[in-house]
Amino acid sequence: MEAITEFQQAAEPKNEDYDSTELQKEAGVTDLDDEYLTEEERLHPWRQTRTFYWSVIVASVAVLFYGIDITAISGAQVGYIPHFGLENRTYHQGVMVSCIYFGCFVGVFIALFTNTYFGRRFTISLASFISTGACIWEAVSPSWQVFIPGRIILGFSYGMIGETAPVYLAEMSPASIRGAIVSLYQQVVTIGIFLAYLCNLIFVWVNYQNVGWRIMIGFPMVPSVIEMFLIWTVPESPRWLIKRRRYEDAKRNLFKLRRTAETAERDFVRIKKGVEEDEILQKGKNLLVEVIRVPYIRRALLIGIMEMLFQQMSGMNVFMNYIDEVFEENINMGARTSVAVSLFPGFVNMVATVIVYFTIDRYGRRTLQLVTFPVMFLMLLMVLFSFYGDKKVNLAFFIIGVVFFIVAYSPGAGPVPWTFCAEVFPTYVRAAGTTITTFFVNAFNFALSFSWPSMKAAWGPQGGFGFYAGFNFLGIVMQFLFLPETKGFTLEQMRVVFEEGLFTIAAYHCRAGWRSLRKLLGLSVPDTPLVSPYDKAFAIDRAKREEEMMHAGEVSK
């Protein structure tokens, strides 16, 4: 009953009066302050409330169908390609896999509307409903012409979940563990991938050319049906409630999500002050234009798009979408054997993603990317050369290359871009910013999924893997130059990271890298310390002084 009541109230903001003057005077809170933590919370950041962890679990279930479908389509291909007579029609094969991303383009804009007016929970529930219907449509399709529209509709839910789930996880998480919690998005995707591999392995033995592939492609509806109702058992995002002026609801939810009343009160004031400033900034503005117009937001957007580009063009989704076909056609395995062998990379992907929980908030987003991308580059080179020479040696090189590529991708290029894009935009344009980056990740994913069959036919698999190895090398260079570190900043503080230009950031990274290289070689380095343009203490102090000067100017007027 509470869920229904809140849903009825969601569309209309409540102008509830909330007097936090006394608390603000006592706390001296500003939106640029660090997140308030008690000593126990600093020492034990993972000790959170049961409601918080239940919310994380429920939000993550929404992502399961995404991961399941990535692999379900891979296993289903061994059945539906001969069933629909598409063996020699590479264009049609590419369209049937990639057409889902046309739906994603629409889904991200649906989510922009529903997230603004109806909240994160409603958006996730609606996406689950759409996913359920679309999975049934695909599973009963009598022809590829009927299959494609169902897959496009499934893409609506893809786009809505990709737009909403990471933001919901980021908005309810404490900054001290936000990176790890948002990275759960990718972890659950990998769990879904593994579950789909298991499903494929079971049903490839059930008349897979007529019945088995239909069960595989319909399997993603299982978590969707569960999530449609389960999402109403968790609190709505406190930030969204504050934006809708439902202050008492927001406070009530923060008390459920934080361990102490003091922490909840401080977070409420900090978030509320940030939202109030956002509303001033939003007034009379087109937020999609604002993302491009304002320099520091534009820089965050460009780096977010860059991260999504290198995530997709790393080549991981070739393995996820087409690995059964690659095993069958290029490693000369039978259809059922290829489905069985592909279970192992799926298991590796699921297990290796756990690494991110112990690294992303300790070592940072930038460090993970710069460590994992060189490994991915080398492993793709190994996969490339596995197509030359003795067949048994080829198979060994191929398996080793794929496995260690996935080990590197899982804690790096997989979760980091989603975490980065969920946290770097200022709150007043976060929905618009994540809409744009989600649009681009789907565009890049479409390009990869659509082009692989034709690329493989024209260049051979070795040419295709060489192409993606080149993109990984480019990713190393571009991320070394332009990717800043964002760990340790609250969502409200994130705007100071990109106050300096991208070329200023690149110049600092080059100087710091040169000093590190000289030090590694035992050469002398200058004693003068290098100050990072996004050093937290320096950047926040500068932003506070600028705000004080601005307020002083307003008072003098």
Side-chain angles (χ1 to χ4, degrees):
M1 180 64 71
E2 180 183 353
I4 296 173
T5 303
E6 290 188 18
F7 169 69
Q8 291 171 337
Q9 296 170 341
E12 292 295 329
K14 279 188 172 182
N15 292 304
E16 297 180 7
D17 294 328
Y18 178 79
D19 184 9
S20 58
T21 305
E22 184 178 341
L23 178 61
Q24 290 186 45
K25 285 181 179 179
E26 178 185 340
V29 179
T30 75
D31 65 317
L32 286 173
D33 284 346
D34 278 334
E35 178 182 50
Y36 176 79
L37 297 173
T38 65
E39 186 63 24
E40 184 181 359
E41 288 169 327
R42 292 181 190 279
L43 294 174
H44 306 287
W46 286 98
R47 289 183 183 174
Q48 302 295 332
T49 65
R50 291 181 180 178
T51 300
F52 173 78
Y53 281 117
W54 175 242
S55 301
V56 170
I57 291 169
V58 171
S60 301
V61 172
V63 188
L64 261 183
F65 85 86
Y66 183 91
I68 291 173
D69 185 77
I70 289 173
T71 309
I73 193 69
S74 176
Q77 287 178 74
V78 302
Y80 74 64
I81 287 178
H83 182 80
F84 294 142
L86 303 176
E87 291 90 337
N88 299 315
R89 303 167 76 174
T90 57
Y91 175 83
H92 291 78
Q93 293 175 27
V95 168
M96 290 186 70
V97 173
S98 61
C99 66
I100 191 170
Y101 300 108
F102 282 114
C104 289
F105 300 151
V106 178
V108 294
F109 290 102
I110 294 174
L112 181 60
F113 174 79
T114 56
N115 276 324
T116 300
Y117 294 102
F118 299 102
R120 316 306 188 212
R121 298 187 305 172
F122 174 82
T123 302
I124 291 173
S125 183
L126 179 60
S128 301
F129 175 77
I130 294 172
S131 171
T132 301
C135 286
I136 294 172
W137 183 324
E138 286 183 296
V140 301
S141 296
S143 66
W144 64 265
Q145 292 94 334
V146 176
F147 182 94
I148 287 174
R151 191 151 180 80
I152 291 173
I153 293 173
L154 181 63
F156 294 174
S157 58
Y158 258 45
M160 294 169 72
I161 292 296
E163 164 71 11
T164 307
V167 173
Y168 177 75
L169 289 169
E171 288 183 338
M172 69 177 185
S173 300
S176 56
I177 58 172
R178 188 182 62 242
I181 293 299
V182 177
S183 297
L184 188 65
Y185 179 97
Q186 185 65 25
Q187 176 70 69
V188 177
V189 169
T190 65
I191 293 172
I193 288 170
F194 181 69
L195 290 175
Y197 277 129
L198 285 175
C199 177
N200 293 349
L201 180 59
I202 293 169
F203 292 105
V204 76
W205 297 94
V206 183
N207 189 14
Y208 68 89
Q209 291 193 12
N210 292 299
V211 178
W213 73 265
R214 297 183 185 276
I215 299 174
M216 297 176 195
I217 212 73
F219 182 48
M221 71 175 287
V222 175
S224 297
V225 171
I226 296 171
E227 183 68 7
M228 198 188 315
F229 303 100
L230 204 63
I231 189 64
W232 297 104
T233 67
V234 301
E236 180 57 84
S237 162
R239 274 184 177 81
W240 182 82
L241 291 169
I242 290 172
K243 287 178 183 178
R244 305 301 292 173
R245 292 180 171 79
R246 293 171 56 183
Y247 299 134
E248 292 304 321
D249 290 339
K251 283 194 69 178
R252 189 183 309 117
N253 286 359
L254 278 169
F255 278 113
K256 294 176 182 177
L257 294 168
R258 299 293 182 260
R259 291 191 65 204
T260 66
E262 189 176 10
T263 303
E265 291 275 11
R266 292 281 298 239
D267 278 359
F268 174 82
V269 176
R270 181 172 51 80
I271 295 169
K272 184 172 180 289
K273 286 177 70 68
V275 167
E276 288 170 349
E277 292 191 8
D278 291 346
E279 289 175 348
I280 295 172
L281 292 170
Q282 287 175 339
K283 191 173 182 180
K285 295 175 181 175
N286 183 317
L287 298 184
L288 289 174
V289 174
E290 189 77 355
V291 170
I292 300 171
R293 187 187 68 82
V294 180
Y296 78 89
I297 306 176
R298 182 172 63 247
R299 295 175 195 126
L301 176 67
L302 289 173
I303 301 304
I305 293 172
M306 180 187 79
E307 286 300 285
M308 291 304 191
L309 171 67
F310 290 121
Q311 180 196 61
Q312 294 304 312
M313 292 303 170
S314 67
M316 177 64 170
N317 279 353
V318 170
F319 296 126
M320 293 299 99
N321 289 333
Y322 294 103
I323 193 167
D324 299 295
E325 181 198 3
V326 170
F327 278 136
E328 184 178 1
E329 293 185 6
N330 303 109
I331 311 297
N332 299 316
M333 291 182 177
R336 288 183 169 126
T337 305
S338 68
V339 172
V341 172
S342 64
L343 183 68
F344 181 62
F347 177 76
V348 171
N349 187 24
M350 180 180 66
V351 173
T353 304
V354 175
I355 298 170
V356 75
Y357 299 117
F358 306 101
T359 54
I360 192 167
D361 287 314
R362 182 175 181 181
Y363 299 107
R365 290 67 160 147
R366 173 179 168 83
T367 300
L368 276 177
Q369 295 294 73
L370 294 183
V371 169
T372 56
F373 262 80
V375 178
M376 291 158 58
F377 168 69
L378 294 175
M379 291 303 101
L380 278 184
L381 289 182
M382 181 178 289
V383 169
L384 187 161
F385 288 112
S386 72
F387 291 93
Y388 302 96
D390 181 75
K391 180 181 176 181
K392 292 183 178 179
V393 174
N394 290 354
L395 180 59
F397 276 153
F398 184 85
I399 295 294
I400 292 171
V402 169
V403 167
F404 282 97
F405 174 90
I406 292 172
V407 168
Y409 175 93
S410 297
V416 168
W418 291 110
T419 301
F420 184 88
C421 291
E423 68 187 5
V424 293
F425 297 107
T427 52
Y428 83 102
V429 293
R430 181 168 300 130
T434 55
T435 295
I436 295 173
T437 54
T438 305
F439 175 89
F440 273 98
V441 75
N442 289 320
F444 299 142
N445 205 338
F446 168 79
L448 180 147
S449 302
F450 174 74
S451 63
W452 175 254
S454 299
M455 183 185 292
K456 182 168 64 69
W459 298 348
Q462 55 270 57
F465 287 122
F467 175 81
Y468 291 115
F471 252 104
N472 277 276
F473 182 78
L474 181 62
I476 297 170
V477 175
M478 295 293 287
Q479 290 180 111
F480 172 79
L481 290 174
F482 297 112
L483 180 63
E485 184 54 73
T486 59
K487 75 166 184 174
F489 291 87
T490 68
L491 295 177
E492 288 71 27
Q493 292 170 344
M494 200 64 69
R495 70 176 190 262
V496 305
V497 175
F498 292 97
E499 286 289 351
E500 298 289 342
L502 293 180
F503 288 102
T504 300
I505 292 173
Y508 163 74
H509 288 153
C510 288
R511 290 194 298 270
W514 178 245
R515 285 194 179 191
S516 298
L517 179 61
R518 288 182 62 87
K519 190 174 181 180
L520 182 66
L521 297 175
L523 302 175
S524 61
V525 295
D527 294 330
T528 308
L530 275 176
V531 179
S532 165
Y534 51 86
D535 176 80
K536 184 175 180 179
F538 170 77
I540 290 177
D541 180 66
R542 178 186 60 200
K544 285 184 175 181
R545 282 188 280 106
E546 289 174 353
E547 284 190 359
E548 288 172 1
M549 291 174 61
M550 182 180 67
H551 292 319
E554 290 176 353
V555 170
S556 65
K557 289 179 182 178

